[in-house]
Amino acid sequence: MIQAAYIHIPFCTHICHYCDFNKVFLHQQPVDAYIDALIIEMERTFERVPTSQLQTVFIGGGTPTSLTAKQLDRLLRAIHRIVSLASDVEFTVEANPDEVSDEQLYVLKEWGVNRLSFGVQTFDRELLQRIGRTHTKETAIETIERAHKLGFHNINIDLMYGLPTQTIDHLKETLRITFSLPIQHVSAYSLIIEPKTVFYNLMKKQTLPLPSQEEEAYMYEMIMEQMEQHGYRQYELSNYAQKGFDSRHNMTYWNNDDYYGFGAGAHGYMNGIRHVNAGPIKKYIQLIEQGQWPHVDEHVVSKEEQMEEHMFLGLRKIEGVNKNEFFMRYGKTVHDVFGEAIALQKRNGLLEETEEAIFLTHRGKLLGNEVFQSFLGVSS
């Protein structure tokens, strides 16, 4: 049974310079028609691929809080009507620090949302402007504290490092503020320059002053050290949590388990088939209204691909890949399939192995992509 669902809200009031997610400006968009289509897609999907109940729900974007309180209420009400949620469900909604009102928070709380994820990125005023964020340091702090007072006690913030002109001191100050706030989980990602973004165009013009690779690696090591010192356990390459606050939804991805994906541009993985929904809003709505599935691409994942994905996703977890779980799922040992690649990366000092698991060394965390690539195309 599938136990996780991702729901995509593609609307934004402002487009950040680094973002390549499926999103559109909110102004003059058919938001209500989109919510109608989203609800219909969920109804049809749960009828076609039922589940006993969902353990995790993640509403992301875009910016889910670009919806009004009334629109959020309609969407959340429909979710509860369509599918059963576990009594201890992890129910996450992403939010912009400067776009969430008390009324919206009350609606989220009323419908069982118990985890908020704020796209803070940095607490530095100039860096926020440089990356195209519209909130301020003060707004972010106030919003986090306000959400906590209103009863949200599982709060994540996204942080970024390796930003243009970002220094070690910038990052130290952002971490200092982070540790002073009621935050239980931190996702800290290095900046990746994606095509079709403002930053990509600036990079092509050679006008994007990025930190060096050495500086970026130092930032990552500093984040790992500071998080550990302040009681945030690193459980995945980019994720840190206080005890009991690991993201159960994201573990679905890293465990290579199935999940529903709803909305324009959303990805899903159901019964061994990965699919992608139509990205353009009007196209997505049109397909739903015509009674069609919004999937524009479906891929049956072969056993070989599943094993490869299991390795490079599982190695993102600090605990690594459990060898017994691998055998129980695929009927082969990891060494039967990936023996040479494992031996090579152990010689390189990037992998370590115990009787139970295979996992990245400290140096391997810094060179994760090099390790992951070594498991592609070798299982056939």
Side-chain angles (χ1 to χ4, degrees):
M1 285 286 184
I2 305 174
Q3 298 183 323
Y6 173 79
I7 301 168
H8 191 68
I9 305 299
F11 308 111
C12 290
T13 57
H14 182 79
I15 305 299
C16 300
H17 297 345
Y18 53 83
C19 180
D20 74 328
F21 293 132
N22 189 50
K23 78 284 181 186
V24 294
F25 284 111
L26 177 67
H27 185 58
Q28 293 186 331
Q29 291 293 333
V31 180
D32 288 311
Y34 179 79
I35 295 174
D36 290 340
L38 194 54
I39 292 170
I40 292 171
E41 185 194 3
M42 288 191 287
E43 289 173 335
R44 291 176 182 166
T45 302
F46 286 122
E47 184 177 335
R48 180 185 182 186
V49 187
T51 184
S52 56
Q53 61 180 203
L54 293 178
Q55 298 291 329
T56 72
V57 179
F58 194 108
I59 303 180
T63 311
T65 51
S66 65
L67 302 183
T68 66
K70 184 177 180 180
Q71 289 166 338
L72 283 170
D73 180 82
R74 185 154 66 93
L75 174 61
L76 294 168
R77 184 187 302 273
I79 293 170
H80 280 269
R81 173 178 59 81
I82 295 167
V83 65
S84 174
L85 304 184
S87 59
D88 63 342
V89 66
E90 178 191 87
F91 200 149
T92 305
V93 172
E94 290 184 335
N96 271 352
D98 59 345
E99 288 184 358
V100 60
S101 66
D102 282 357
E103 185 181 10
Q104 289 172 309
L105 290 174
Y106 287 135
V107 168
L108 298 179
K109 190 75 176 169
E110 178 184 0
W111 288 110
V113 173
N114 51 25
R115 186 174 185 269
L116 296 178
S117 181
F118 290 107
V120 172
Q121 315 312 353
T122 175
F123 285 105
D124 184 85
R125 178 179 61 83
E126 291 184 2
L127 281 177
L128 285 168
Q129 293 176 349
R130 184 175 288 275
I131 66 178
R133 300 295 284 169
T134 56
H135 67 269
T136 63
K137 174 183 78 172
E138 292 76 18
T139 301
I141 292 172
E142 186 275 331
T143 300
I144 292 166
E145 291 178 335
R146 178 161 49 92
H148 180 75
K149 288 177 182 177
L150 289 175
F152 291 95
H153 298 148
N154 188 353
I155 296 175
N156 169 73
I157 66 168
D158 289 343
L159 296 178
M160 297 183 75
Y161 62 96
L163 298 170
T165 73
Q166 186 179 33
T167 66
I168 299 298
D169 286 340
H170 286 148
L171 184 55
K172 283 182 179 177
E173 178 63 8
T174 282
L175 292 174
R176 184 192 69 77
I177 295 172
T178 297
F179 299 137
S180 73
L181 294 170
I183 293 166
Q184 291 71 45
H185 188 285
V186 178
S187 299
Y189 302 103
S190 64
L191 174 66
I192 298 175
I193 307 299
E194 302 284 4
K196 300 179 182 179
T197 63
V198 173
F199 276 174
Y200 182 78
N201 294 330
L202 291 175
M203 185 180 70
K204 288 202 326 186
K205 296 176 183 176
Q206 298 184 330
T207 57
L208 192 66
L210 296 172
S212 67
Q213 287 185 336
E214 291 76 14
E215 289 173 315
E216 186 174 317
Y218 183 83
M219 289 179 181
Y220 182 40
E221 292 197 88
M222 186 176 74
I223 290 169
M224 288 191 284
E225 292 171 3
Q226 288 285 308
M227 289 291 171
E228 183 177 358
Q229 290 175 16
H230 288 84
Y232 293 80
R233 181 182 68 89
Q234 184 182 23
Y235 68 97
E236 191 270 345
L237 288 182
S238 302
N239 286 271
Y240 310 81
Q242 293 177 349
K243 186 176 181 179
F245 289 96
D246 293 11
S247 171
R248 288 159 51 197
H249 182 83
N250 286 342
M251 286 298 291
T252 298
Y253 305 144
W254 302 318
N255 288 333
N256 204 27
D257 291 333
D258 287 12
Y259 61 95
Y260 299 100
F262 301 113
H267 293 236
Y269 187 27
M270 301 187 298
N271 299 329
I273 301 174
R274 293 196 183 275
H275 75 263
V276 182
N277 280 356
I281 309 301
K282 291 182 180 179
K283 177 67 173 176
Y284 170 79
I285 295 173
Q286 181 184 49
L287 289 172
I288 296 292
E289 289 178 343
Q290 292 174 348
Q292 301 181 50
W293 287 107
H295 305 174
V296 292
D297 183 56
E298 291 188 348
H299 174 67
V300 178
V301 184
S302 68
K303 184 177 180 179
E304 289 73 26
E305 290 172 315
Q306 290 179 37
M307 291 188 291
E308 291 173 3
E309 291 175 355
H310 192 103
M311 289 301 293
F312 67 73
L313 290 170
L315 285 172
R316 292 194 61 87
K317 298 181 294 183
I318 299 307
E319 66 181 24
V321 173
N322 183 287
K323 293 192 282 190
N324 185 57
E325 287 180 6
F326 186 96
F327 178 77
M328 294 299 291
R329 185 178 291 201
Y330 305 110
K332 296 182 178 181
T333 71
V334 288
H335 284 284
D336 286 338
V337 185
F338 300 110
E340 290 185 14
I342 292 169
L344 172 63
Q345 298 306 337
K346 285 171 68 175
R347 288 196 299 271
N348 292 340
L350 304 182
L351 281 184
E352 192 171 343
E353 183 173 6
T354 64
E355 187 175 332
E356 293 81 22
I358 298 168
F359 51 92
L360 294 173
T361 63
H362 179 78
R363 183 164 171 263
K365 294 177 187 177
L366 301 174
L367 298 171
N369 287 337
E370 179 179 320
V371 179
F372 305 151
Q373 289 173 7
S374 67
F375 291 96
L376 297 178
V378 299
S379 62
S380 55

